[in-house]
Amino acid sequence: VATSGLVLSLAATSASAAETSALPRVDVSAAAAEAVTAMITTPSVVAPADVTWSVDELEVAVRAPRAVAVERPEAAASRSGERPALSAALAAEAPAREAAPAPLASASAIVNYARQFTGTPYVYGGVTPAGFDCSGFTQYVFAHFGINLPRSSGDQRYAGTVVSAAEAQPGDLVWWPGHVGIYTGGGNHIAARQPGTALHEGPITHSSPTFIRVG
């Protein structure tokens, strides 16, 4: 019997050892690392049931839209290399947009206009066809052609370029101290001369007058 019992104990021990060797091995360190990682990356938050939640209000600022600059065709053309052609087109249109200034009157036109006032009475300080003094007459005539002369005969002496008697032409001013008129050629001039004498054309009586070209 003792022998049989010993044999059974040995058989049981051998069977237990065989079953133990047949179970799979588990890597405990790897399982522990995975558990720690899960706790860190997916933490659990526990809040009381009576907790109160609040959300801050956002402030919204409305800004006006920015102005958009519209580029003129001239600027766009200058960047694209079309500036010469555009300049030529604009130059061709210029006469239609604004009229060119009229040319200054000719000398003969000035003389002919001045002769219309022959017979006007002399009036000291006069500046209209109702009555002229010498500088008022010349100022009025040249103003008709867009040429502004100073009011006094002394200032009109410096209103243009002095020319010699040989270079003097009809339409030039003829001046001497205290008097001014309009040269009409051939040693004559038209002017308002003195009180009691009507405006007329006649010879220059001064020995050394100054001729002044204006305009």
Side-chain angles (χ1 to χ4, degrees):
V1 174
T3 303
S4 301
L6 180 59
V7 172
L8 293 173
S9 298
L10 290 174
T13 303
S14 299
S16 298
E19 291 177 359
T20 303
S21 62
L23 293 175
R25 293 184 178 181
V26 178
D27 189 349
V28 177
S29 60
E34 291 178 1
V36 172
T37 301
M39 293 177 63
I40 294 174
T41 56
T42 57
S44 299
V45 179
V46 178
D50 58 348
V51 68
T52 301
W53 300 93
S54 63
V55 179
D56 294 338
E57 295 182 358
L58 297 179
E59 294 184 1
V60 180
V62 180
R63 296 180 180 178
R66 297 178 59 188
V68 179
V70 180
E71 186 177 33
R72 298 183 62 185
E74 295 92 327
S78 64
R79 293 201 310 273
S80 61
E82 299 175 2
R83 185 66 181 180
L86 180 60
S87 297
L90 293 175
E93 295 177 1
R97 292 198 302 267
E98 57 181 67
L104 294 177
S106 64
S108 60
I110 293 174
V111 171
N112 290 335
Y113 184 73
R115 284 173 174 160
Q116 297 180 22
F117 302 101
T118 298
T120 300
Y122 182 96
V123 174
Y124 181 78
V127 293
T128 71
F132 288 116
D133 63 11
C134 65
S135 58
F137 170 63
T138 52
Q139 184 187 52
Y140 185 88
V141 170
F142 279 88
H144 178 76
F145 298 99
I147 302 171
N148 296 320
L149 295 181
R151 176 62 185 89
S152 68
S153 61
D155 289 337
Q156 289 184 16
R157 159 66 177 81
Y158 303 99
T161 303
V162 174
V163 297
S164 66
E167 297 172 327
Q169 299 176 359
D172 291 341
L173 290 177
V174 56
W175 177 92
W176 60 82
H179 180 73
V180 67
I182 299 173
Y183 185 56
T184 57
N188 295 318
H189 80 308
I190 185 169
R193 300 170 187 266
Q194 59 191 16
T197 304
L199 189 150
H200 67 280
E201 182 177 358
I204 297 172
T205 58
H206 197 273
S207 60
S208 57
T210 300
F211 296 93
I212 306 158
R213 187 155 300 156
V214 297

